[in-house]
Each structure stands twice: as structure tokens, then as C-alpha cells.
Amino acid sequence: MPSSSWPSSSLLDLAPVLPVVVIEDAADAVPLARALVAGGLPAIEVTLRTPAALEALRAIAGEVPGAVVGAGTVLTPGQVKECVGAGARFLVSPGWTELLLEAMQASGVPFLPGVSTTSEVVALLERGVREMKFFPAQAAGGTAYLRSLAGPLPQARFCPTGGIGINSAPEYLALPNVGCVGGSWMIPADAVAARDWGRIEALAREAAALSAGGTCR
């Protein structure tokens, strides 16, 4: 994902944390997104894990101007087309195939293909892709694995996602090849169920203040 494909900067540089959102009820999409944006997390990944996902993505794109909303768990070329049509400004996949990569490259929006091995990283670099999702981060080796990649493959940058929380995020953010981390700890299920958007905004603000070593940016 060349930086020139993003209008202002790399997607990885918009905020230290990319919220990974699973929306069960599309009616929650707009207030949830507004809470995240108000807390300082403008980039929002809506995952395609529920029937409400596309409707939620469309609502956020149309009604929350401060949000940079994208689609996650993108698995097929058909989903790429649907998501961009619904207003997705970026795409995230847990892994990649040649067909999926071609569709994402042709979509006209930034994308983060998922990787968990060195060979996958090298294969993407060969294809001109330098920004990737590292997934599942903790299970695939965590910070030790990413640190070991920084020497031989310094041109690759990552958004690690999977098993990361507010306590482990600073260790990832301290790595030279990590631009941001993905997570959902700032969107606890009980807060969404209670529609406690103020609590989510407060948790988002705490996440937005993270940087290397846990200090504010």
C-alpha cells in the first residue's frame, strides 16, 4: 500500500490504535463511531463478521464526517467491491491470495493484507506492498517476531492485530516497523450493550494517547 494512495498520510500514521469493531446492530454504528472519533481514534475498521456490517459501514461513511471508516475481515474480491461501494476508505484482510490481492490493488483505496510469516512478507514486498496487517499478532510470535523482521526487512511496516490490549500495545508501538496496533479493548461488549458511548469515548481517548513506552504522542 504505497503512501501516495492515502490522501494525507499512511493509514498506519492516523492514530496509534486502529479500533477493530464488530457491530451486531447497525443502529449502534453511528454513535459508536462518533464516540471513537471524539476520543481521538478516527480510523475505524468495521469487520465483516455480522449481517449488519455493510449497513453499519455505509451509515458511518455517510453520517460521521470525522471518521475514516474501513472494512475488515475482507476475504473475497466480491467483498472488496461491496465494501468500497458502501463507502469503505480502506480494506483489511486476515490473510491474502493472489486473487484477493489483485482485487484490493484495483480497488482504489489503501489496504492492509494480513501476514504471519516471513515468506508472506517477502512475497508482498515483491508485489510493491509495504504496509501489512500482522495477524494473529500474539499467537504468531508477538513483539519478538516483529523485532526479528525489522533487521532484514526494514521496508515492511505493520499493524499488529490479535490479542493486543492496552498493557501490551506500547511494547508493539515501540518497534521501528510498527505504525499502529489494532484492537477492540476500547469497545467492551457491555458498554456497547448499555449504549454507554461516554465510556467508549473515554477508553478511546486513553488508547489515542498511547505511543512508544506508553507516553502521549
Side-chain angles (χ1 to χ4, degrees), residues 51-152:
L54 278 178
E55 183 181 351
L57 198 159
R58 191 175 291 108
I60 295 171
E63 300 180 42
V64 189
V68 179
V69 65
T73 323
V74 177
L75 302 175
T76 68
Q79 288 178 330
V80 169
K81 185 176 181 179
E82 287 180 331
C83 292
V84 174
R89 296 179 63 188
F90 64 90
L91 304 167
V92 183
S93 66
W96 64 279
T97 65
E98 292 291 349
L99 284 176
L100 180 58
L101 184 64
E102 288 174 7
M104 291 192 293
Q105 287 177 318
S107 69
V109 301
F111 57 91
L112 296 174
V115 297
S116 60
T117 70
T118 306
S119 293
E120 290 172 322
V121 175
V122 172
L124 286 176
L125 290 173
E126 282 185 351
R127 291 157 175 79
V129 179
R130 296 191 174 189
E131 298 188 351
M132 311 164 195
K133 171 179 178 173
F134 180 61
F135 177 82
Q138 290 289 89
T143 55
Y145 194 95
L146 286 172
R147 188 178 296 111
S148 71
L149 292 181

XYZ file of all heavy atoms in Angstrom, residues 51-152:
721
model
N -24.136 -9.834 9.943
C -25.007 -9.395 8.855
C -25.186 -7.880 8.800
O -25.540 -7.337 7.753
C -26.335 -10.093 9.176
C -25.967 -11.272 10.012
C -24.791 -10.815 10.831
N -24.925 -7.195 9.916
C -25.124 -5.744 9.972
C -23.920 -4.953 9.473
O -23.986 -3.720 9.382
C -25.446 -5.316 11.410
N -22.833 -5.638 9.143
C -21.578 -4.944 8.879
C -21.649 -3.932 7.737
O -21.234 -2.780 7.881
C -20.470 -5.958 8.611
N -22.165 -4.342 6.591
C -22.203 -3.426 5.443
C -23.107 -2.229 5.707
O -22.772 -1.095 5.356
C -22.651 -4.162 4.182
C -21.583 -4.950 3.428
C -22.204 -5.659 2.232
C -20.443 -4.049 2.975
N -24.246 -2.463 6.335
C -25.143 -1.355 6.663
C -24.472 -0.407 7.650
O -24.585 0.822 7.534
C -26.446 -1.894 7.253
C -27.480 -0.815 7.550
C -28.760 -1.370 8.153
O -28.923 -2.607 8.195
O -29.598 -0.549 8.596
N -23.758 -0.971 8.626
C -23.040 -0.153 9.596
C -21.953 0.670 8.921
O -21.792 1.872 9.188
C -22.433 -1.051 10.672
N -21.207 0.054 8.024
C -20.153 0.751 7.298
C -20.729 1.906 6.499
O -20.207 3.028 6.523
C -19.447 -0.247 6.383
C -18.074 0.101 5.824
C -17.357 -1.171 5.390
C -18.159 1.050 4.653
N -21.833 1.634 5.817
C -22.485 2.656 5.000
C -22.964 3.830 5.856
O -22.814 4.998 5.484
C -23.659 2.034 4.236
C -24.246 2.920 3.163
C -25.321 2.184 2.380
N -24.754 1.111 1.547
C -24.890 -0.182 1.796
N -25.587 -0.602 2.833
N -24.329 -1.068 0.995
N -23.509 3.530 7.032
C -24.019 4.579 7.921
C -22.881 5.454 8.443
O -22.985 6.685 8.476
C -24.780 3.945 9.081
N -21.780 4.826 8.852
C -20.652 5.602 9.365
C -20.069 6.481 8.260
O -19.775 7.669 8.475
C -19.576 4.666 9.940
C -20.114 3.922 11.158
C -18.317 5.456 10.307
C -19.202 2.809 11.663
N -19.916 5.917 7.077
C -19.368 6.681 5.956
C -20.230 7.886 5.623
O -19.723 8.948 5.249
C -19.224 5.780 4.732
N -21.537 7.750 5.774
C -22.436 8.825 5.390
C -22.746 9.824 6.479
O -23.138 10.958 6.183
N -22.580 9.427 7.755
C -23.064 10.279 8.835
C -22.009 10.711 9.845
O -22.316 11.497 10.744
C -24.193 9.554 9.582
C -25.399 9.209 8.706
C -26.487 8.494 9.474
O -26.773 8.906 10.621
O -27.048 7.511 8.940
N -20.791 10.211 9.728
C -19.738 10.598 10.677
C -18.561 11.150 9.883
O -17.620 10.431 9.549
C -19.299 9.395 11.546
C -18.370 9.871 12.668
C -20.507 8.674 12.133
N -18.603 12.439 9.551
C -17.592 13.012 8.668
C -16.166 12.929 9.209
O -15.209 12.919 8.441
C -18.054 14.464 8.500
C -19.012 14.720 9.615
C -19.638 13.418 9.945
N -16.001 12.861 10.524
C -14.658 12.786 11.085
C -14.057 11.404 11.050
O -12.868 11.223 11.356
N -14.841 10.410 10.666
C -14.364 9.034 10.671
C -13.711 8.664 9.348
O -14.168 9.069 8.274
C -15.517 8.074 10.954
N -12.651 7.879 9.438
C -12.042 7.239 8.271
C -12.395 5.760 8.417
O -11.697 5.005 9.082
C -10.523 7.454 8.236
C -9.917 6.745 7.029
C -10.194 8.936 8.212
N -13.520 5.375 7.831
C -14.048 4.037 8.070
C -13.603 3.063 6.991
O -13.551 3.398 5.808
C -15.596 4.053 8.178
C -16.243 4.463 6.863
C -16.119 2.697 8.637
N -13.213 1.872 7.436
C -12.799 0.845 6.509
C -13.449 -0.475 6.847
O -14.185 -0.594 7.830
N -13.169 -1.477 6.041
C -13.746 -2.807 6.224
C -12.660 -3.804 6.566
O -11.586 -3.798 5.965
C -14.473 -3.251 4.959
N -12.959 -4.659 7.547
C -12.025 -5.700 7.937
C -12.596 -7.090 7.692
O -13.779 -7.238 7.371
N -11.740 -8.092 7.857
C -12.101 -9.486 7.565
C -12.590 -9.612 6.120
O -13.548 -10.328 5.832
C -13.159 -10.031 8.560
O -12.910 -9.524 9.867
C -13.080 -11.554 8.623
N -11.943 -8.882 5.228
C -12.260 -8.954 3.798
C -11.577 -10.197 3.234
O -10.357 -10.343 3.330
C -11.784 -7.688 3.066
C -12.052 -7.800 1.572
C -12.474 -6.454 3.647
N -12.372 -11.085 2.645
C -11.860 -12.384 2.229
C -11.958 -12.661 0.733
O -11.270 -13.554 0.236
C -12.604 -13.505 2.972
C -12.539 -13.472 4.502
C -13.411 -14.576 5.078
C -11.107 -13.608 4.981
N -12.813 -11.926 0.013
C -13.046 -12.239 -1.397
C -13.057 -10.974 -2.246
O -13.337 -9.877 -1.739
C -14.407 -12.942 -1.580
O -15.467 -11.999 -1.292
C -14.542 -14.146 -0.663
N -12.794 -11.117 -3.547
C -12.909 -9.964 -4.445
C -14.315 -9.363 -4.428
O -14.466 -8.144 -4.536
C -12.567 -10.556 -5.815
C -11.642 -11.686 -5.511
C -12.188 -12.288 -4.250
N -15.333 -10.190 -4.273
C -16.692 -9.669 -4.193
C -16.898 -8.773 -2.996
O -17.571 -7.743 -3.092
N -16.321 -9.138 -1.866
C -16.427 -8.299 -0.676
C -15.680 -6.985 -0.859
O -16.116 -5.944 -0.357
C -15.899 -9.055 0.545
C -16.807 -10.170 1.013
C -16.230 -10.916 2.202
O -15.004 -11.023 2.372
N -17.111 -11.455 3.034
N -14.560 -7.025 -1.556
C -13.834 -5.783 -1.851
C -14.753 -4.807 -2.565
O -14.872 -3.632 -2.174
C -12.583 -6.080 -2.715
C -11.984 -4.782 -3.249
C -11.553 -6.855 -1.924
N -15.436 -5.273 -3.589
C -16.337 -4.423 -4.369
C -17.488 -3.913 -3.519
O -17.840 -2.729 -3.568
C -16.872 -5.203 -5.571
C -17.730 -4.377 -6.509
C -18.144 -5.188 -7.738
C -18.993 -4.352 -8.684
N -19.375 -5.137 -9.889
N -18.091 -4.789 -2.721
C -19.216 -4.395 -1.873
C -18.806 -3.341 -0.855
O -19.535 -2.361 -0.632
C -19.768 -5.612 -1.129
C -20.551 -6.586 -1.988
C -21.054 -7.757 -1.183
O -20.400 -8.130 -0.172
O -22.095 -8.317 -1.553
N -17.650 -3.538 -0.236
C -17.209 -2.624 0.810
C -16.874 -1.239 0.264
O -17.238 -0.219 0.856
C -16.012 -3.212 1.545
S -16.422 -4.678 2.514
N -16.169 -1.197 -0.850
C -15.853 0.097 -1.453
C -17.140 0.791 -1.890
O -17.302 2.006 -1.719
C -14.876 -0.078 -2.625
C -14.669 1.244 -3.355
C -13.541 -0.618 -2.130
N -18.090 0.019 -2.402
C -19.374 0.586 -2.783
C -20.154 1.134 -1.602
O -20.934 2.077 -1.748
N -19.911 0.554 -0.424
C -20.605 1.012 0.785
C -19.901 2.192 1.440
O -20.394 2.734 2.432
C -20.723 -0.137 1.787
N -18.745 2.574 0.915
C -18.054 3.743 1.450
C -16.766 3.464 2.188
O -16.193 4.368 2.798
N -16.278 2.223 2.156
C -15.024 1.903 2.841
C -13.868 2.700 2.247
O -13.696 2.732 1.032
C -14.725 0.414 2.737
N -13.090 3.313 3.112
C -11.937 4.100 2.669
C -10.631 3.336 2.801
O -9.569 3.835 2.423
C -11.890 5.410 3.438
C -13.096 6.295 3.139
C -13.070 7.595 3.922
N -11.917 8.413 3.568
C -11.579 9.525 4.226
N -12.312 9.927 5.254
N -10.518 10.218 3.855
N -10.695 2.137 3.372
C -9.561 1.231 3.383
C -10.073 -0.186 3.610
O -11.226 -0.390 4.016
C -8.514 1.624 4.443
C -9.001 1.549 5.870
C -8.874 0.375 6.608
C -9.560 2.658 6.493
C -9.306 0.299 7.924
C -10.002 2.599 7.808
C -9.871 1.413 8.520
N -9.211 -1.159 3.334
C -9.576 -2.564 3.445
C -8.520 -3.308 4.252
O -7.329 -3.013 4.143
C -9.673 -3.205 2.053
C -10.630 -2.547 1.056
C -10.384 -3.097 -0.349
C -12.074 -2.763 1.463
N -8.973 -4.257 5.062
C -8.057 -5.069 5.864
C -8.456 -6.530 5.715
O -9.641 -6.866 5.802
C -8.107 -4.671 7.356
C -7.087 -5.484 8.151
C -7.861 -3.185 7.540
N -7.479 -7.398 5.489
C -7.756 -8.826 5.383
C -6.888 -9.594 6.381
O -5.783 -9.152 6.698
C -7.474 -9.331 3.964
O -6.087 -9.229 3.673
N -7.374 -10.719 6.879
C -6.565 -11.515 7.814
C -5.439 -12.271 7.126
O -4.485 -12.710 7.770
C -7.586 -12.478 8.429
C -8.660 -12.599 7.401
C -8.732 -11.259 6.713
N -5.538 -12.430 5.816
C -4.521 -13.093 5.007
C -4.714 -12.637 3.571
O -5.494 -11.721 3.308
N -4.011 -13.274 2.640
C -4.187 -12.850 1.251
C -3.923 -14.009 0.300
O -3.201 -14.944 0.613
C -3.273 -11.669 0.911
C -1.805 -11.970 0.978
C -1.013 -12.001 2.088
C -0.943 -12.290 -0.120
N 0.278 -12.314 1.763
C 0.348 -12.507 0.412
C -1.135 -12.413 -1.490
C 1.446 -12.832 -0.382
C -0.042 -12.753 -2.298
C 1.227 -12.948 -1.736
N -4.554 -13.891 -0.866
C -4.297 -14.767 -2.008
C -4.023 -13.855 -3.200
O -4.234 -12.629 -3.123
C -5.509 -15.650 -2.326
O -6.598 -14.806 -2.742
C -5.943 -16.462 -1.106
N -3.592 -14.428 -4.292
C -3.336 -13.608 -5.471
C -4.601 -12.897 -5.939
O -4.592 -11.707 -6.275
C -2.765 -14.462 -6.602
C -1.368 -14.994 -6.348
C -0.293 -13.916 -6.350
O -0.591 -12.767 -6.745
O 0.837 -14.220 -5.960
N -5.727 -13.626 -5.964
C -6.981 -13.017 -6.417
C -7.422 -11.886 -5.505
O -7.845 -10.818 -5.963
C -8.083 -14.083 -6.507
C -8.025 -15.036 -7.694
C -9.137 -16.085 -7.588
C -8.149 -14.269 -9.016
N -7.341 -12.106 -4.204
C -7.748 -11.071 -3.250
C -6.825 -9.862 -3.347
O -7.286 -8.713 -3.348
C -7.750 -11.638 -1.835
C -8.154 -10.674 -0.718
C -9.547 -10.101 -0.963
C -8.089 -11.376 0.638
N -5.531 -10.106 -3.449
C -4.578 -9.005 -3.552
C -4.828 -8.180 -4.808
O -4.820 -6.940 -4.767
C -3.153 -9.545 -3.553
C -2.038 -8.486 -3.551
C -2.082 -7.660 -2.273
C -0.676 -9.154 -3.720
N -5.075 -8.835 -5.923
C -5.363 -8.117 -7.166
C -6.603 -7.245 -7.016
O -6.631 -6.102 -7.487
C -5.558 -9.112 -8.314
C -4.277 -9.775 -8.784
C -4.539 -10.863 -9.811
O -5.708 -11.001 -10.250
O -3.587 -11.572 -10.183
N -7.627 -7.776 -6.362
C -8.855 -7.006 -6.171
C -8.614 -5.804 -5.273
O -9.118 -4.704 -5.537
C -9.947 -7.903 -5.586
N -7.846 -5.987 -4.217
C -7.563 -4.871 -3.318
C -6.705 -3.819 -4.011
O -6.927 -2.612 -3.849
C -6.900 -5.377 -2.038
C -7.832 -6.182 -1.155
S -7.197 -6.506 0.522
C -5.816 -7.578 0.159
N -5.731 -4.258 -4.807
C -4.883 -3.306 -5.520
C -5.682 -2.508 -6.546
O -5.382 -1.349 -6.813
C -3.729 -4.040 -6.200
C -2.670 -4.523 -5.231
C -1.565 -5.306 -5.906
O -1.821 -6.122 -6.785
N -0.329 -5.088 -5.490
N -6.713 -3.130 -7.117
C -7.531 -2.458 -8.122
C -8.649 -1.626 -7.519
O -9.342 -0.902 -8.243
C -8.135 -3.498 -9.072
N -8.822 -1.695 -6.200
C -9.978 -1.062 -5.550
C -9.893 0.457 -5.503
O -10.901 1.143 -5.381
C -10.131 -1.593 -4.127
O -9.063 -1.136 -3.296
N -8.664 0.984 -5.546
C -8.501 2.427 -5.464
C -8.417 2.958 -4.048
O -8.301 4.174 -3.853
N -8.477 2.076 -3.034
C -8.354 2.522 -1.645
C -7.169 1.808 -1.001
O -6.772 0.724 -1.443
C -9.647 2.248 -0.841
C -10.837 2.963 -1.469
C -9.919 0.759 -0.703
N -6.598 2.373 0.066
C -5.500 1.705 0.775
C -5.957 0.370 1.354
O -7.139 0.180 1.646
C -5.139 2.696 1.877
C -5.650 4.012 1.401
C -6.880 3.713 0.624
N -5.013 -0.528 1.553
C -5.364 -1.839 2.093
C -4.208 -2.405 2.907
O -3.038 -2.054 2.697
C -5.734 -2.809 0.966
C -4.660 -2.993 -0.070
C -3.718 -4.000 0.061
C -4.588 -2.146 -1.171
C -2.714 -4.166 -0.889
C -3.593 -2.308 -2.129
C -2.651 -3.321 -1.985
N -4.559 -3.268 3.848
C -3.589 -3.958 4.682
C -3.830 -5.458 4.566
O -4.712 -6.005 5.239
C -3.728 -3.525 6.152
C -3.437 -2.065 6.489
C -3.773 -1.793 7.956
C -1.982 -1.715 6.205
N -3.078 -6.158 3.733
C -3.208 -7.611 3.654
C -2.554 -8.261 4.869
O -1.520 -7.803 5.349
C -2.470 -7.963 2.364
C -1.496 -6.857 2.172
C -2.083 -5.627 2.786
N -3.156 -9.328 5.364
C -2.633 -9.972 6.557
C -1.493 -10.926 6.281
O -1.488 -11.643 5.277
N -0.505 -10.926 7.183
C 0.633 -11.842 7.092
C 0.941 -12.398 8.481
O 0.637 -11.772 9.500
C 1.904 -11.143 6.547
C 1.698 -10.651 5.130
C 2.317 -9.982 7.458
N 1.563 -13.576 8.497
C 2.043 -14.118 9.769
C 3.371 -14.843 9.614
O 3.892 -15.381 10.576
C 1.007 -15.077 10.376
O 0.756 -16.162 9.508
N 3.935 -14.831 8.397
C 5.234 -15.480 8.163
C 6.151 -14.569 7.355
O 5.688 -13.679 6.625
C 5.073 -16.802 7.390
O 4.679 -16.520 6.036
C 4.046 -17.711 8.042
N 7.441 -14.835 7.470
C 8.436 -14.064 6.723
C 8.238 -14.206 5.226
O 8.350 -13.227 4.470
C 9.847 -14.529 7.102
O 10.001 -14.466 8.520
C 10.906 -13.644 6.453
N 7.912 -15.392 4.763
C 7.725 -15.614 3.330
C 6.571 -14.785 2.784
O 6.651 -14.254 1.664
C 7.476 -17.100 3.048
O 8.625 -17.858 3.340
N 5.494 -14.661 3.560
C 4.361 -13.841 3.118
C 4.765 -12.379 3.016
O 4.353 -11.674 2.081
C 3.198 -13.997 4.092
C 2.542 -15.356 4.058
C 1.531 -15.537 5.167
O 1.773 -15.067 6.294
O 0.488 -16.150 4.906
N 5.576 -11.920 3.959
C 6.044 -10.530 3.919
C 6.892 -10.303 2.669
O 6.704 -9.325 1.934
C 6.851 -10.185 5.188
C 7.428 -8.774 5.080
C 5.976 -10.296 6.432
N 7.820 -11.205 2.394
C 8.696 -11.073 1.231
C 7.869 -11.101 -0.055
O 8.118 -10.326 -0.990
C 9.763 -12.188 1.221
C 10.539 -12.176 -0.090
C 10.713 -12.010 2.401
N 6.869 -11.981 -0.118
C 6.027 -12.071 -1.312
C 5.283 -10.764 -1.561
O 5.151 -10.327 -2.715
C 5.036 -13.220 -1.165
N 4.808 -10.124 -0.509
C 4.115 -8.847 -0.679
C 5.084 -7.739 -1.072
O 4.758 -6.886 -1.916
C 3.369 -8.472 0.599
C 2.097 -9.261 0.877
C 1.503 -8.855 2.223
C 1.058 -9.044 -0.222
N 6.271 -7.740 -0.488
C 7.263 -6.731 -0.869
C 7.601 -6.852 -2.346
O 7.779 -5.838 -3.042
C 8.529 -6.879 -0.018
C 8.407 -6.498 1.465
C 9.682 -6.851 2.209
C 8.094 -5.015 1.616
N 7.682 -8.088 -2.862
C 7.931 -8.300 -4.285
C 6.854 -7.657 -5.142
O 7.113 -7.236 -6.273
C 7.977 -9.801 -4.603
C 9.261 -10.498 -4.243
C 9.257 -11.940 -4.711
O 8.193 -12.431 -5.158
O 10.324 -12.573 -4.632
N 5.634 -7.590 -4.596
C 4.490 -7.043 -5.331
C 4.255 -5.567 -5.036
O 3.226 -5.006 -5.408
C 3.243 -7.867 -4.993
C 3.305 -9.293 -5.560
C 2.391 -10.239 -4.798
N 2.369 -11.573 -5.411
C 3.326 -12.481 -5.250
N 4.393 -12.204 -4.501
N 3.223 -13.662 -5.821
N 5.208 -4.931 -4.364
C 5.119 -3.500 -4.117
C 4.301 -3.099 -2.913
O 4.021 -1.918 -2.717
N 3.912 -4.059 -2.090
C 3.120 -3.763 -0.888
C 4.054 -3.701 0.306
O 4.754 -4.678 0.611
C 2.039 -4.842 -0.668
C 1.229 -4.529 0.592
C 1.130 -4.935 -1.876
N 4.053 -2.585 1.003
C 4.976 -2.395 2.121
C 4.278 -2.269 3.467
O 4.953 -2.290 4.506
C 5.852 -1.157 1.882
C 6.765 -1.303 0.667
C 7.785 -0.194 0.607
N 8.736 -0.414 -0.475
C 9.850 0.304 -0.655
N 10.137 1.279 0.192
N 10.654 0.043 -1.665
N 2.982 -2.098 3.470
C 2.236 -1.964 4.722
C 1.264 -3.124 4.848
O 0.504 -3.417 3.916
C 1.537 -0.607 4.779
C 2.542 0.534 4.761
C 1.925 1.890 5.001
O 0.681 1.991 5.011
O 2.684 2.859 5.177
N 1.284 -3.785 6.003
C 0.580 -5.047 6.171
C -0.022 -5.148 7.570
O 0.400 -4.464 8.500
C 1.563 -6.213 5.977
C 2.412 -6.099 4.729
S 3.856 -7.198 4.763
C 4.829 -6.465 3.426
N -0.985 -6.055 7.691
C -1.511 -6.431 8.993
C -0.748 -7.671 9.458
O -0.580 -8.621 8.687
C -2.999 -6.745 8.866
C -3.639 -7.353 10.102
C -5.117 -7.609 9.862
C -5.786 -8.248 11.057
N -7.254 -8.352 10.888
N -0.257 -7.655 10.692
C 0.382 -8.833 11.262
C -0.640 -9.525 12.148
O -1.043 -8.978 13.185
C 1.622 -8.439 12.058
C 2.348 -9.608 12.673
C 2.882 -10.606 11.878
C 2.506 -9.699 14.052
C 3.559 -11.682 12.447
C 3.177 -10.762 14.623
C 3.702 -11.763 13.819
N -1.083 -10.703 11.724
C -2.199 -11.373 12.396
C -2.028 -12.886 12.340
O -1.606 -13.417 11.311
C -3.516 -10.975 11.707
C -4.723 -11.670 12.262
C -5.336 -11.188 13.408
C -5.229 -12.805 11.648
C -6.445 -11.841 13.929
C -6.331 -13.446 12.166
C -6.934 -12.975 13.314
N -2.387 -13.588 13.429
C -2.774 -13.094 14.759
C -1.523 -12.755 15.563
O -0.683 -13.623 15.807
C -3.538 -14.268 15.364
C -2.948 -15.481 14.698
C -2.504 -15.057 13.323
N -1.384 -11.527 15.953
C -0.115 -11.000 16.449
C 0.475 -11.800 17.608
O 1.614 -12.261 17.539
C -0.284 -9.537 16.844
N -0.275 -11.950 18.675
C 0.273 -12.634 19.835
C 0.572 -14.101 19.527
O 1.628 -14.619 19.870
C -0.704 -12.538 21.016
C -0.819 -11.136 21.615
C 0.424 -10.724 22.381
O 1.361 -10.157 21.819
N 0.428 -10.993 23.667
N -0.351 -14.768 18.875
C -0.180 -16.193 18.573
C 0.929 -16.441 17.560
O 1.562 -17.506 17.556
C -1.496 -16.775 18.059
N 1.196 -15.457 16.696
C 2.192 -15.632 15.629
C 3.597 -15.229 16.040
O 4.507 -15.245 15.205
C 1.773 -14.846 14.395
N 3.790 -14.858 17.287
C 5.143 -14.537 17.739
C 5.293 -13.196 18.411
O 6.352 -12.891 18.970
N 4.260 -12.354 18.330
C 4.256 -11.094 19.058
C 5.395 -10.153 18.718
O 5.918 -10.133 17.598
N 5.806 -9.394 19.729
C 6.833 -8.371 19.503
C 8.185 -8.983 19.154
O 8.952 -8.393 18.387
C 6.983 -7.474 20.743
O 7.244 -8.297 21.897
C 5.709 -6.667 20.989
N 8.477 -10.159 19.684
C 9.769 -10.788 19.387
C 9.883 -11.113 17.904
O 10.940 -10.916 17.285
C 9.939 -12.056 20.225
N 8.796 -11.581 17.317
C 8.812 -11.927 15.893
C 8.964 -10.667 15.049
O 9.781 -10.627 14.118
C 7.528 -12.667 15.528
C 7.574 -13.351 14.183
C 7.925 -14.696 14.077
C 7.295 -12.651 13.012
C 7.985 -15.327 12.837
C 7.348 -13.274 11.774
C 7.691 -14.612 11.694
O 7.752 -15.222 10.470
N 8.181 -9.652 15.361
C 8.254 -8.414 14.585
C 9.620 -7.756 14.717
O 10.157 -7.214 13.745
C 7.153 -7.447 15.034
C 5.740 -7.802 14.578
C 4.725 -6.890 15.251
C 5.618 -7.688 13.062
N 10.193 -7.807 15.904
C 11.523 -7.224 16.107
C 12.551 -7.939 15.232
O 13.456 -7.314 14.667
C 11.907 -7.316 17.582
C 13.198 -6.563 17.937
C 13.504 -6.660 19.433
N 12.484 -5.999 20.232
C 11.618 -6.634 21.020
N 11.635 -7.957 21.102
N 10.739 -5.955 21.730
N 12.403 -9.250 15.092
C 13.356 -10.015 14.282
C 13.218 -9.723 12.795
O 14.165 -9.921 12.028
C 13.171 -11.515 14.540
O 11.963 -11.988 13.986
N 12.042 -9.237 12.365
C 11.845 -8.885 10.962
C 12.427 -7.524 10.609
O 12.710 -7.246 9.439
C 10.346 -8.884 10.619
C 9.601 -10.208 10.624
C 8.134 -9.978 10.243
C 10.246 -11.203 9.674
N 12.581 -6.660 11.604
C 12.983 -5.277 11.332
C 14.369 -5.185 10.710
O 14.624 -4.305 9.888
C 12.933 -4.455 12.622
N 15.269 -6.102 11.066
C 16.622 -6.058 10.516
C 16.673 -6.399 9.041
O 17.096 -5.575 8.215
N 16.242 -7.604 8.646
C 16.346 -7.990 7.239
C 15.296 -7.356 6.338
O 15.503 -7.264 5.127
C 16.158 -9.511 7.278
C 15.345 -9.759 8.500
C 15.796 -8.731 9.493
